[in-house]
Amino acid sequence: MALTRLEDLVPLLESDHRTQRVHAVPDDGEDRPDAAERIRARGEVLLSMQQARQDTHGLVLAASSRGLEAVRGPALLVAHGGALGQYRPWRTAADGDLVTGLHPGQLVRDGRVRPDRIALAHERELDVLARFCPEAVPHAVVAGDIAFDRLVATTEHRERHRRALGVTDDREVLLVTSTWSPRSGFGRNPELFREIVEAAPPDRFRVVASLHPQIWSHHGRGQVLGWLSDALDAGLAVLAPHTDWRGAVAAADHVLADYTSVGTFAAGLGTPVLRIPHEPQPMLAGSPAAVLAEHAPLWDVTRPLLPQLDAAAGAQDRGLGARIAGLLTSRPGQAGTILRKEMYELLGLSEPARAVPLSPAPLPAVVSRMCG
């Protein structure tokens, strides 16, 4: 996820001949082998962390605080999934509060705030930052959400993305997405995808699975497709590992999601979202994920699917999507402009006169057990 978010930033400066980009992946990164393979496959320069430490860089772009203290140079930190102000579910603060990406443990190294700029998606995150790490407030800039902006741009090419998913008729795309960990929808229920495919009439729906990158990284492509073999036999389409999820979301008519941020982005786009049951998950009150969990219906495998999809559409009709969109970003459509300005200020270079690009997501790719 971190690499995908950094790829959103590359178009903002990639054509500038005054810059040269290189990549480094933290030695303790959970998806390090996959990230390194993707970087090399694109023909990019990949440094070891030892090499990255040797120089002072003109700008350090980071979508995680992991390893950031080891690299010298002005740094811009962006969120790699949901906004930085959302929860970090595997940690709690000493006082019992949820730990977010805006906690001192994420931002402060050796007594100082490490990122020179902290890109926030929404004004309300300033309040979260002031609560958890007030010394970092001067480093914050409310930039909006470039991932959401690109998702909105992708909807203009919806039909192309539908065709990439194998839909050339009037069938509806039903996207099923799960994050990783034993608490997730797929972790809790290994039969999740098969049950949904069997519940969705094939003459009406094309069911597509989008799995969190860590599922592929931790278990391997062959094993994951093996676990999904019954669902694949029943007609499930699976997005290729590390495929940009936004193409599938833009193509979707309905989304089933657990607490993954993909579900909140889909809801903010106006797509009906039916929640997938998962283990208890702490959520920061008022965050997009918490609002979705409160107001979107919960899928019940023992009941017919179609009325439940209608109920999810009803929640959208009552304004849920507009409310979530307003929580995802307070600078809609402006993230690229704001982030490019901050990046060039940190570089100490004049900003290019060319318009800020806002490209749609690439077309989604689908895999199968046999041909990959």
Side-chain angles (χ1 to χ4, degrees):
M1 288 292 284
L3 180 57
T4 299
R5 186 55 56 89
L6 291 178
E7 289 168 349
D8 287 340
L9 303 180
V10 169
L12 302 180
L13 44 65
E14 67 178 344
S15 65
D16 193 328
H17 292 266
R18 298 171 296 175
T19 66
Q20 158 73 51
R21 71 177 179 274
V22 296
H23 299 261
V25 182
D27 295 329
D28 60 347
E30 293 167 323
D31 59 349
R32 189 183 192 285
D34 282 349
E37 181 180 346
R38 291 167 61 194
I39 292 166
R40 292 193 185 99
R42 293 202 308 264
E44 304 276 8
V45 175
L46 177 64
L47 304 180
S48 67
M49 284 302 294
Q50 181 179 1
Q51 292 172 315
R53 294 186 190 102
Q54 292 174 354
D55 293 321
T56 297
H57 305 276
L59 174 63
V60 179
L61 300 176
S64 167
S65 61
R66 190 188 297 269
L68 187 54
E69 71 280 0
V71 184
R72 296 192 301 271
L76 169 67
L77 177 67
V78 298
H80 68 266
L84 285 167
Q86 293 198 39
Y87 56 84
R88 292 284 184 178
W90 57 89
R91 299 177 60 189
T92 56
D95 59 5
D97 284 331
L98 298 179
V99 173
T100 78
L102 301 178
H103 192 273
Q106 304 291 325
L107 302 176
V108 177
R109 297 291 185 272
D110 298 324
R112 74 178 185 94
V113 177
R114 172 59 186 100
D116 296 87
R117 297 288 191 280
I118 302 167
L120 305 181
H122 200 280
E123 295 280 358
R124 69 182 298 275
E125 288 187 284
L126 284 172
D127 296 331
V128 179
L129 184 61
R131 173 186 173 191
F132 283 114
C133 191
E135 63 268 39
V137 171
H139 299 258
V141 55
V142 179
D145 195 313
I146 195 168
F148 188 62
D149 288 352
R150 287 194 69 194
L151 174 59
V152 173
T154 304
T155 61
E156 298 179 13
H157 307 273
R158 171 178 163 83
E159 288 305 316
R160 294 182 60 215
H161 289 269
R162 282 171 53 84
R163 290 195 296 272
L165 295 173
V167 181
T168 57
D169 50 24
D170 60 355
R171 283 183 300 163
E172 300 169 52
V173 174
L174 177 59
L175 179 64
V176 186
T177 179
S178 176
T179 189
W180 69 298
S181 90
R183 296 185 303 275
S184 70
F186 188 33
R188 176 182 182 271
N189 177 15
E191 301 299 322
L192 169 71
F193 294 98
R194 179 189 60 78
E195 291 173 350
I196 294 174
V197 172
E198 292 179 350
D203 59 341
R204 177 173 171 179
F205 296 103
R206 171 70 155 164
V207 183
V208 179
S210 175
L211 302 177
H212 191 284
Q214 292 286 11
I215 296 177
W216 299 104
S217 297
H218 278 252
H219 303 293
R221 177 184 180 129
Q223 178 61 80
V224 173
L225 294 178
W227 285 334
L228 295 174
S229 57
D230 289 344
L232 286 164
D233 290 341
L236 179 70
V238 181
L239 293 186
H242 309 294
T243 290
D244 194 311
W245 51 269
R246 285 169 293 204
V249 171
D253 298 279
H254 313 270
V255 172
L256 273 77
D258 56 12
Y259 56 90
T260 170
S261 58
V262 176
T264 58
F265 280 117
L269 196 63
T271 306
V273 175
L274 185 62
R275 293 187 299 117
I276 295 170
H278 55 78
E279 294 299 324
Q281 178 67 22
M283 297 181 184
L284 197 66
S287 67
V291 172
L292 182 66
E294 182 180 356
H295 296 284
L298 186 67
W299 174 55
D300 183 348
V301 68
T302 67
R303 295 171 47 223
L305 177 62
L306 298 187
Q308 298 184 72
L309 295 178
D310 291 341
Q316 281 288 5
D317 292 341
R318 293 188 293 274
L320 177 60
R323 181 179 177 189
I324 289 178
L327 293 171
L328 285 170
T329 173
S330 53
R331 302 287 189 273
Q334 302 177 51
T337 300
I338 296 171
L339 288 171
R340 190 176 78 167
K341 177 178 181 292
E342 296 297 330
M343 290 161 66
Y344 274 91
E345 284 187 2
L346 292 173
L347 280 166
L349 296 175
S350 59
E351 193 174 354
R354 66 188 290 266
V356 176
L358 182 58
S359 56
L363 295 175
V366 175
V367 298
S368 70
R369 284 173 294 168
M370 297 301 296
C371 64

